[in-house]
Amino acid sequence: MTLFRSLKSRNFKLFFYGQSISLVGTWMQKTAVSWLVYQLTGSALLLGVVGFVSLIPSLFLSPYAGSLVDRHNRYHILVLTQIASMVQAGALAGIIFFGYYNILLIIALSLIQGIINAFDMTCRQSLMVEMVDHKEDLPNAIALNSTMVNFARIAGPAVAGIILSTFGTDFCFILNFLSYIPVLICLFMMRLKVIVMEKSEKSIWTELEEGFKYVSGDKNLSSMLIMIGVSSLFVIPFNTLMPIFAKDIFSGDARTFSWFESAAGLGSIISAVYLANLKNNNGLMKMVAIAGGILGGSLLFLAYAPQLPVALFFMTLTGVGMMGQTSAINTYIQTHSVPEMRGRAISYYVMAYQGILPIGSLLIGWLANVMGPRPAIFMEGLIGIASTIAFVIYRSKSAHRKTVSV
């Protein structure tokens, strides 16, 4: 079956199964942290701060992580990041279980997780090509990985909503800690043909410079990175305000908030399944533009949705657009980067996506305090539409220049 063809690769199948369990726990924890912070503080700004500290390390550390991954054994780095994530989850579970609701400590642990993620995400993405037995299955593996992530985005918040209202926040954190056990078991069962990395005589700073020159010198790669960077700063952070929509605008509870996260996850799965069924990557540029339009347009309607079902419908569409855009750009970078630069090229994607998101989280938190949550979301939708139009115009001019030069 075309949709699941990359699962024929044993290593990727093990990775897929292990991560499927762990990511549900991760989204449970993410939902519980957001709800807990807003419940304790009632502050949109502090919601933005938590999002900021959990992602800002990617902005500064991702290029360094890319060079590190290109110089060392990716598999060993991935094992270490998963163990570190398990320890962080255990620490968070411990303080909540014993009732130590200290917002500063929660923020500090979120920062630690962000540091771990800067290395983990870069390593995980660059290792994907070594998990599949046939290179032509790589785009399918990337799309399936995205499907898995977004299935967890549905299941995690949905389960979290039930657990939060039935058992309390501590259960969410404990279950996330336990979810790392199957991940580590699957990683240890892998039989990867680990490439022996030659020790580079260049300094890591020289390699950082080489990576920047490579991505900035390729107009297709750089335009994709700029597009995801703009979205991460001005569009995608709309998620930060969903606890406010759930609790204040639609008078809901933790379960209502989980519906918003699950709706976005459902839309993301629809988009990821579509990408997984593609037989080639010829339409990725077009996919980026279409998905950007869907994301921006759906935010315009979400901002002033009159009833909860209408809001959830447009939240689903935001998931379609967001997943389509980010996954298409990710696939393009992985499949068009030369092998010796793949880790560094991916690290710039992580930096532009994960690293810029926290700045956007702070920005929309501040904007919501100044003008209200609905106008803030509407503003992000307008920027999403404008950036998509700019991307299409740039790509059209670039294609025209190539035609004229030929």
Side-chain angles (χ1 to χ4, degrees):
M1 191 175 179
T2 304
L3 178 61
F4 299 106
R5 62 182 182 272
S6 57
L7 290 180
K8 293 177 182 177
S9 301
R10 180 180 182 275
N11 292 317
F12 180 71
K13 181 162 61 175
L14 286 168
F15 171 81
F16 185 87
Y17 290 159
Q19 289 292 321
S20 295
I21 298 170
S22 177
L23 286 169
V24 172
T26 299
W27 275 99
M28 284 175 57
Q29 176 172 294
K30 178 180 170 61
T31 304
V33 166
S34 294
W35 185 255
L36 179 63
V37 168
Y38 191 61
Q39 201 173 41
L40 290 175
T41 66
S43 169
L45 187 60
L46 276 176
L47 275 176
V49 169
V50 170
F52 178 83
V53 299
S54 65
L55 294 172
I56 192 61
S58 294
L59 180 62
F60 300 103
L61 295 178
S62 289
Y64 176 80
S67 294
L68 190 74
V69 163
D70 281 340
R71 293 161 68 102
H72 297 282
N73 188 310
R74 294 178 172 94
Y75 171 75
H76 290 161
I77 294 173
L78 184 60
V79 171
L80 289 173
T81 58
Q82 293 300 299
I83 293 172
S85 294
M86 186 178 186
V87 172
Q88 185 273 349
L92 187 54
I95 66 168
I96 302 303
F97 181 77
F98 291 108
Y100 190 65
Y101 297 107
N102 185 302
I103 190 67
L104 290 178
L105 190 53
I106 292 172
I107 290 173
L109 285 170
S110 297
L111 175 62
I112 290 170
Q113 185 61 60
I115 293 170
I116 297 167
N117 285 343
F119 293 89
D120 178 75
M121 187 171 178
T122 301
C123 182
R124 193 187 318 172
Q125 295 287 343
S126 61
L127 190 63
M128 198 85 68
V129 70
E130 296 179 37
M131 292 182 189
V132 293
D133 297 334
H134 307 287
K135 189 178 179 181
E136 59 270 21
D137 289 339
L138 178 60
N140 178 257
I142 295 170
L144 275 186
N145 182 59
S146 298
T147 305
M148 168 182 66
V149 169
N150 288 288
F151 174 77
R153 188 176 181 177
I154 294 177
V159 174
I162 296 170
I163 292 176
L164 283 169
S165 57
T166 307
F167 301 104
T169 53
D170 52 346
F171 271 75
C172 286
F173 298 128
I174 291 169
L175 288 175
N176 181 47
F177 169 73
L178 295 175
S179 72
Y180 282 98
I181 295 174
V183 176
L184 291 171
I185 291 173
C186 288
L187 283 176
F188 291 135
M189 288 175 65
M190 284 185 181
R191 299 170 189 162
L192 282 173
K193 295 179 181 177
V194 180
I195 299 173
V196 179
M197 308 299 291
E198 293 183 10
K199 188 169 181 62
S200 176
E201 295 180 0
K202 301 175 184 176
S203 72
I204 200 162
W205 304 110
T206 301
E207 293 191 344
L208 281 172
E209 185 181 1
E210 288 177 351
F212 178 77
K213 286 181 178 178
Y214 173 70
V215 296
S216 61
D218 187 312
K219 297 302 180 185
N220 289 332
L221 286 178
S222 58
S223 65
M224 290 284 200
L225 289 171
I226 291 170
M227 184 64 183
I228 192 64
V230 171
S231 288
S232 297
L233 182 60
F234 296 114
V235 187
I236 298 175
F238 77 91
N239 271 329
T240 305
L241 301 185
M242 289 308 101
I244 301 173
F245 267 61
K247 189 173 186 290
D248 295 342
I249 293 177
F250 294 108
S251 304
D253 55 15
R255 192 170 296 185
T256 312
F257 173 45
S258 74
W259 291 344
F260 275 92
E261 291 287 2
S262 296
L266 175 62
S268 297
I269 282 184
I270 294 169
S271 203
V273 169
Y274 173 79
L275 283 167
N277 274 300
L278 292 178
K279 294 183 179 179
N280 58 64
N281 300 314
N282 296 335
L284 287 176
M285 290 279 188
K286 186 177 179 181
M287 181 72 176
V288 171
I290 293 172
I294 293 173
L295 176 57
S298 58
L299 286 178
L300 298 179
F301 290 100
L302 172 65
Y304 290 101
Q307 290 94 26
L308 179 60
V310 177
L312 292 175
F313 172 74
F314 286 111
M315 190 69 179
T316 303
L317 287 184
T318 66
V320 172
M322 187 165 56
M323 178 70 245
Q325 186 184 71
T326 57
S327 187
I329 292 173
N330 182 14
T331 303
Y332 185 90
I333 291 171
Q334 290 213 43
T335 53
H336 288 76
S337 301
V338 295
E340 59 271 21
M341 287 289 182
R342 184 176 291 117
R344 277 164 279 184
I346 291 170
S347 74
Y348 280 101
Y349 165 79
V350 174
M351 182 178 71
Y353 179 30
Q354 294 266 28
I356 293 178
L357 268 177
I359 300 174
S361 294
L362 280 183
L363 184 62
I364 196 170
W366 170 79
L367 199 61
N369 273 344
V370 171
M371 63 192 311
R374 285 189 184 273
I377 295 289
F378 189 81
M379 185 79 70
E380 294 216 324
L382 288 177
I383 295 173
I385 294 291
S387 62
T388 300
I389 292 172
F391 178 78
V392 171
I393 292 173
Y394 174 81
R395 294 305 313 159
S396 298
K397 287 184 177 179
S398 179
H400 177 70
R401 283 195 296 268
K402 283 183 180 178
T403 303
V404 171
S405 63
V406 171

